[in-house]
Amino acid sequence: MFSKTALLGLALLPFSLGQVTEGFENGWDKTAWPTYAPDCSQGGSVSLDTSTAHSGKNSIKVSGAGGYCGHIFVGTNKVPSGDVYVRAWIKASKTFTDSHVTFITMPDSAQGNKKHLRIGGQSKILMYNRESDDATLPDLSPQGIATSKALPANSWQCFEYHLGPDGSIETWLNDSVVPGLTSKPGVSNPNAAQWQRSSIKPKITAVYFGWESYGGDTNTFWYDDIAISSTRVGCQ
């Protein structure tokens, strides 16, 4: 347990050295955690759910509709400069299909205006997508697909990733590295050819959790115990 002095010291740190944590046990602060639906919003919804949670009694429920305009997200623009680590406990009502979907989207100034770094699914596995050139990590070849993982449905999963200022990407599912969702400058990844053809280094300005579908897929996601930090948090 932190002492009052330690808590005060943490509060006085510059944000780049501190972290945001949210478990929604005091409800949903819509000012600190606004919804986000660029361009259009038709059918998706966000709500505070008291029926399921990773810890405590509350979580955020995102009911995602089909099609791009069925998208809806909720999140924060309180992200550190430099290294960004994000940890979220997530639960999906359905496994991914072959269609492209997103459950985390991040406005990325390195890609240009209104462009996003996305995390979602395609070919039944977890993947990254860079909106500006539609590149995927991993390559969606049979070999690339085999280096990622599926997201199990109807159970809480610890999803964590790191974006480095040098363009590095690292990803963990339940504390295990996902090799296909790793890209580091100077480190060979034979299944990241599409991703590494660009010199773009992500510079995100916010992190939003929700649902976006580029076909007809629908899904319900729950989010709980979210942490955004300049250092790795882990699943504990």
Side-chain angles (χ1 to χ4, degrees):
M1 181 179 294
F2 284 113
S3 68
K4 290 182 179 179
T5 302
L7 287 172
L8 178 60
L10 182 60
L12 293 175
L13 285 171
F15 182 72
S16 62
L17 298 177
Q19 72 177 43
V20 169
T21 59
E22 183 57 76
F24 307 105
E25 291 310 293
N26 294 319
W28 171 22
D29 182 340
K30 296 182 181 181
T31 300
W33 291 79
T35 58
Y36 180 72
D39 302 322
C40 54
S41 182
Q42 300 172 358
S45 65
V46 179
S47 60
L48 185 71
D49 195 340
T50 60
S51 67
T52 185
H54 169 253
S55 67
K57 61 181 182 180
N58 295 339
S59 65
I60 285 289
K61 177 181 179 180
V62 176
S63 300
Y68 175 77
C69 285
H71 64 182
I72 190 72
F73 296 89
V74 60
T76 177
N77 61 7
K78 299 297 189 293
V79 295
S81 58
D83 289 287
V84 179
Y85 287 82
V86 178
R87 192 280 316 278
W89 284 88
I90 62 179
K91 183 169 76 168
S93 66
K94 302 175 186 176
T95 56
F96 296 140
T97 69
D98 287 328
S99 296
H100 182 198
V101 299
T102 294
F103 63 87
I104 297 176
T105 194
M106 295 161 281
D108 183 5
S109 62
Q111 295 186 55
N113 188 41
K114 293 186 176 181
K115 299 300 182 182
H116 299 78
L117 176 61
R118 301 157 164 166
I119 303 175
Q122 193 168 353
S123 300
K124 301 182 177 68
I125 53 98
L126 291 161
M127 50 82 81
Y128 287 78
N129 175 246
R130 190 168 52 221
E131 185 176 4
S132 58
D133 62 356
D134 205 32
T136 65
L137 179 69
D139 296 334
L140 295 180
S141 62
Q143 295 80 10
I145 290 169
T147 64
S148 186
K149 294 183 179 181
L151 182 69
N154 297 310
S155 61
W156 287 100
Q157 308 292 318
C158 178
F159 183 79
E160 187 176 14
Y161 62 95
H162 166 225
L163 306 177
D166 62 352
S168 294
I169 294 177
E170 298 177 278
T171 314
W172 300 264
L173 184 64
N174 299 318
D175 268 336
S176 295
V177 172
V178 184
L181 303 184
T182 302
S183 178
K184 296 181 178 181
V187 179
S188 177
N189 180 344
N191 299 298
Q194 196 180 108
W195 195 263
Q196 293 180 345
R197 72 189 179 196
S198 171
S199 61
I200 291 174
K201 300 175 182 178
K203 190 174 182 180
I204 65 168
T205 58
V207 181
Y208 295 105
F209 306 87
W211 178 256
E212 188 168 84
S213 170
Y214 312 101
D217 286 13
T218 64
N219 212 329
T220 300
F221 265 73
W222 289 265
Y223 299 89
D224 198 6
D225 295 326
I226 296 169
I228 302 173
S229 178
S230 58
T231 58
R232 190 177 174 198
V233 177
C235 293
Q236 301 303 316

